[in-house]
C-alpha cells in the first residue's frame, strides 16, 4: 500500500493575515488525523517562514513554488535553493506551466533548478503537461516525454528516487476543466513506463506521479482511486482549508481501498 501525496500550490494569492489564518486552520483541521497521506503546503515566499515554523508541529511540510537555477550572486529578485533550505523548506515546485509560459522557463533551466534542489536535499516537484493545442494535435505523449527526459533523466538513480512528478495538463489548470480519470491514468502510466525504462521497475513503482489541474473536493476521490495516481497538486482548491482537507481525506480513503 503506497500512501498518497497532496500538495497545495497557493500561487500568488492571499494577504499575510489570510495566509496565517489558512495555515492555522490546516494545522487545527489536520491535528486529529493519524495521516498516512503526506501533505505539503506551498505559499508565496514572504509567507514561507510562517509555514516552516508551523510545519514543525503540524501534519504538513512546507514547500516553495519555485527557486533559482543559481545558488547565489547578482540575480535580482531570485531566491536560491540554499536559502529555501536554510528556512526549513522541504519541497519545491519547479517547471510549473505558469512559469514556463510567463517566465519563459525552458526544460534546460528546469533541469538546473532540479540540480540545485538536489544539492540541498530538497524534493523537487517537477511539473509537466501539454497544452490543448498539443493534445488536439495528438502530440501530448511526445511533449510530456520530452519534458520528462530533458528535466529529469540526467539524474543518477539515487537522486531520481527523491523526485516527485506532477502531470498537469495545461488546459486543466485553473480552468475548471479536469482531465477525466481515464485521461490522467493513461498519461500517468505512460510517464511511469518512461521511468521504468530508464531507472527500473522498483523506482518506477515508488515514484510519486501526481495529477494537477482543477482537482477539487468533489473530483479528487475519483482521480485518486486509480493506483497510478499517487495524489494531487492542488491550486485553487488549496486556498480553502475545508476543501483542501476534503481532498486529503479522499487521499486517505483511496489509500485504504487501493
Ligand atoms: C496548479 O496550479 O498546479 C493547479 C493544478 O491549479 P488548479 O488546481 O487551480 O487548476
Amino acid at each position: 500500500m503506497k500512501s498518497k501525496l497532496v500538495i497545495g500550490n497557493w500561487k500568488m494569492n492571499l494577504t499575510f493575515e489570510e495566509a496565517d489564518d489558512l495555515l492555522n486552520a490546516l494545522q487545527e483541521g489536520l491535528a486529529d488525523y493519524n495521516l498516512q497521506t503526506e501533505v505539503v503546503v506551498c505559499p508565496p515566499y514572504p509567507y514561507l517562514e510562517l509555514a516552516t515554523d508551523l510545519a514543525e508541529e503540524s501534519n504538513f511540510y512546507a514547500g516553495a513554488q519555485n527557486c533559482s537555477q543559481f545558488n547565489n550572486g547578482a540575480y535580482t529578485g531570485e531566491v536560491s535553493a540554499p536559502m529555501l533550505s536554510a528556512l526549513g523548506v522541504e519541497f519545491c515546485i519547479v517547471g510549473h506551466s505558469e512559469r514556463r509560459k510567463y517566465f519563459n522557463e525552458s526544460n534546460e533551466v528546469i533541469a538546473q533548478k532540479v540540480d540545485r534542489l538536489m544539492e540541498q536535499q530538497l524534493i523537487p516537484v517537477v511539473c509537466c503537461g501539454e497544452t490543448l493545442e498539443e493534445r488536439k494535435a495528438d502530440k501530448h505523449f511526445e511533449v510530456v516525454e520530452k519534458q520528462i527526459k530533458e528535466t529529469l533523466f540526467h539524474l543518477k538513480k539515487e537522486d531520481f528516487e527523491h523526485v516527485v512528478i506532477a502531470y498537469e495538463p495545461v488546459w486543466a489548470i485553473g480552468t475548471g476543466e479536469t482531465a477525466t480519470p481515464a485521461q490522467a491514468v493513461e498519461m500517468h502510466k505512460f510517464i511511469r513506463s518512461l521511468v521504468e525504462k530508464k531507472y527500473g521497475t522498483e523506482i518506477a513503482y515508488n515514484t510519486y506521479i501526481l495529477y494537477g489541474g482543477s482537482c477539487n473536493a468533489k473530483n479528487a476521490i475519483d482521480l485518486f482511486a486509480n493506483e497510478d495516481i499517487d495524489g494531487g497538486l492542488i491550486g485553487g482548491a488549496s486556498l480553502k482549508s475545508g476543501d483542501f482537507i476534503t481532498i486529503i481525506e479522499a487521499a486517505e480513503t483511496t489509500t485504504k481501498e487501493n
Side-chain angles (χ1 to χ4, degrees):
M1 185 180 54
K2 186 172 165 191
S3 61
K4 304 241 185 238
L5 172 63
V6 175
I7 304 181
N9 173 17
W10 292 6
K11 311 194 189 195
M12 199 172 68
N13 289 302
L14 307 183
T15 63
F16 188 88
E17 207 178 12
E18 287 164 345
D20 197 23
D21 287 349
L22 179 50
L23 287 165
N24 280 291
L26 289 176
Q27 183 187 40
E28 252 176 59
L30 295 176
D32 294 336
Y33 289 85
N34 183 14
L35 286 183
Q36 291 172 36
T37 304
E38 309 269 26
V39 179
V40 183
V41 180
C42 302
Y45 289 139
Y47 313 148
L48 266 178
E49 204 168 355
L50 284 178
T52 54
D53 282 352
L54 224 53
E56 278 179 23
E57 55 205 47
S58 305
N59 271 336
F60 60 77
Y61 298 95
Q65 299 173 19
N66 180 37
C67 72
S68 171
Q69 69 268 42
F70 306 111
N71 274 339
N72 53 56
Y75 302 105
T76 303
E78 290 293 274
V79 173
S80 71
M83 292 171 185
L84 295 174
S85 170
L87 263 187
V89 168
E90 296 187 70
F91 289 73
C92 182
I93 300 169
V94 283
H96 192 282
S97 64
E98 288 152 12
R99 299 225 44 101
R100 291 176 187 265
K101 180 173 175 192
Y102 302 121
F103 303 94
N104 298 318
E105 279 189 16
S106 62
N107 289 336
E108 194 187 349
V109 165
I110 296 162
Q112 290 165 4
K113 293 184 178 202
V114 168
D115 290 344
R116 295 299 80 76
L117 291 166
M118 285 289 167
E119 288 158 11
Q120 300 302 319
Q121 281 96 46
L122 282 169
I123 298 180
V125 180
V126 182
C127 303
C128 60
E130 79 286 356
T131 62
L132 188 58
E133 294 68 40
E134 288 161 345
R135 181 163 274 267
K136 280 187 179 155
D138 211 17
K139 293 218 160 90
H140 42 302
F141 293 115
E142 197 184 306
V143 167
V144 169
E145 180 169 356
K146 189 167 157 53
Q147 290 172 336
I148 296 284
K149 286 187 170 168
E150 292 184 3
T151 58
L152 287 171
F153 279 8
H154 62 289
L155 293 175
K156 289 193 213 118
K157 217 174 190 180
E158 57 269 29
D159 285 334
F160 186 86
E161 280 179 318
H162 303 290
V163 161
V164 171
I165 295 173
Y167 168 57
E168 301 208 302
V170 180
W171 46 271
I173 298 178
T175 59
E177 191 175 337
T178 322
T180 63
Q183 283 172 320
V185 166
E186 188 184 31
M187 185 58 85
H188 283 224
K189 279 188 190 300
F190 174 69
I191 294 170
R192 213 177 291 286
S193 74
L194 296 175
V195 175
E196 184 170 15
K197 265 185 234 150
K198 172 82 181 167
Y199 295 106
T201 309
E202 194 184 338
I203 291 191
Y205 172 80
N206 289 333
T207 299
Y208 275 81
I209 307 178
L210 311 184
Y211 169 78
S214 298
C215 180
N216 58 38
K218 288 207 178 105
N219 60 28
I221 199 143
D222 289 339
L223 288 157
F224 297 170
N226 301 282
E227 61 176 357
D228 264 297
I229 301 183
D230 299 313
L233 178 53
I234 317 297
S238 70
L239 294 170
K240 290 191 185 134
S241 59
D243 286 2
F244 194 52
I245 290 171
T246 303
I247 293 170
I248 295 162
E249 283 169 346
E252 287 289 289
T253 309
T254 51
T255 301
K256 284 180 197 124
E257 284 166 2
N258 274 345

